[in-house]
Amino acid sequence: GEGLPPLDEAVRLAPHEPAPRRNRAVARLKQVRDPSGGVSDLQPVADIRAALAAAPDNPYLLYDAASVYAAAARLDGSFRGAA
């Protein structure tokens, strides 16, 4: 996405670290969120899932994950349970 090359590079350099994935997910969420609160694509979900796999008990990550899943649920109802 636009403005994401530094975040893409951070993920490339540290693919198993949760922070770069979390940061990119949050940035992507801001880019793809539509006026209804949903999202136009599900790219943020992949990053937040990877971050959660690396740090499942991080409260800040859990908060961001809830935001990503809630927005994704408007596009794909299967994410309602995750939010």
Side-chain angles (χ1 to χ4, degrees), residues 12-81:
R12 187 186 71 74
L13 293 171
H16 302 293
E17 290 295 320
R21 297 275 185 172
R22 173 186 174 227
N23 293 339
R24 189 169 70 177
V26 171
R28 281 183 174 165
L29 181 63
K30 290 176 183 175
Q31 286 186 333
V32 300
R33 185 171 270 159
D34 64 35
S36 72
V39 293
S40 57
D41 69 57
L42 299 175
Q43 289 182 336
V45 174
D47 278 330
I48 211 69
R49 282 183 171 164
L52 284 170
D57 297 324
N58 180 306
Y60 300 105
L61 179 55
L62 291 170
Y63 175 85
D64 289 335
S67 297
V68 168
Y69 286 131
R74 291 179 172 260
L75 184 63
D76 180 340
S78 67
F79 291 105
R80 284 198 176 94

